């Protein structure tokens, strides 16, 4: 997607159910010299989307993944690179999500993403729909 390319967002790792994503401040800076709020929202949303997409792909499923809804809290300005992590919300179960997707061809899961240091947090519901 052109906006993602312009923001220079990159996946930097995945381990133990946590996906990490990074974007440089220089490509996402606002008029105040810190990270643009829309960029913070975008990198967290993309981290959640990528996490759900990865879980489905690893389980052998082809799906379209959409964000159904989300809420964001901005807590502090970010003066460095945007470093985001995404993981399933504590009450979510990937196995149950994948089983439901396999059975019905659609499922939803809640993901929590945050900017490193707690500067911003997102909780979003992501929906997966079978491509077939």
């Amino acid at each position: 997607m052109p906006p993602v390319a312009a923001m220079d967002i990159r996946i930097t790792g995945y381990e133990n159910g946590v996906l990490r994503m990074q974007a440089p401040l220089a490509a996402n800076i606002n008029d105040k010299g810190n990270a643009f709020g829309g960029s913070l929202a975008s990198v967290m949303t993309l981290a959640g989307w990528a996490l759900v997409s990865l879980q489905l792909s690893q389980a052998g499923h082809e799906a379209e993944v959409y964000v159904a809804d989300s809420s964001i809290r901005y807590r502090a300005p970010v003066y460095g690179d945007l470093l985001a992590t995404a993981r399933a919300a504590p009450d979510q179960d990937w196995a149950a999500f994948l089983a439901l997707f396999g059975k019905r061809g659609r499922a939803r899961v809640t993901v929590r993403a945050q900017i490193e240091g707690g500067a911003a947090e997102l909780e979003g519901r992501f929906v997966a729909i079978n491509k077939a």
Side-chain angles (χ1 to χ4, degrees):
M1 294 184 300
V4 175
M7 293 172 65
D8 200 15
I9 297 173
R10 304 273 185 254
I11 294 174
T12 58
Y14 174 75
E15 186 176 357
N16 299 323
V18 179
L19 185 129
R20 298 185 184 286
M21 198 168 265
Q22 179 176 357
L25 177 62
N28 298 281
I29 200 161
N30 66 17
D31 61 323
K32 294 159 193 60
N34 55 43
F36 174 60
S39 294
L40 295 171
S42 294
V43 75
M44 290 187 296
T45 301
L46 282 166
W49 175 87
L51 176 63
V52 175
S53 296
L54 179 63
Q55 291 290 329
L56 288 157
S57 178
Q58 287 183 332
H61 297 296
E62 289 190 28
E64 297 291 351
V65 176
Y66 302 92
V67 61
D69 58 59
S70 66
S71 62
I72 299 173
R73 293 189 61 132
Y74 298 96
R75 300 188 181 280
V78 176
Y79 290 95
D81 289 347
L82 291 64
L83 307 172
T85 58
R87 60 180 45 88
D91 62 340
Q92 299 296 287
D93 178 359
W94 286 116
F97 166 77
L98 294 167
L100 183 60
F101 181 84
K103 181 179 179 181
R104 294 192 179 164
R106 63 186 310 140
R108 70 178 67 150
V109 63
T110 301
V111 172
R112 288 195 179 155
Q114 69 175 14
I115 298 297
E116 199 167 279
E121 300 169 344
L122 172 141
E123 182 168 293
R125 279 187 316 146
F126 290 81
V127 176
I129 301 171
N130 193 332
K131 282 187 175 182

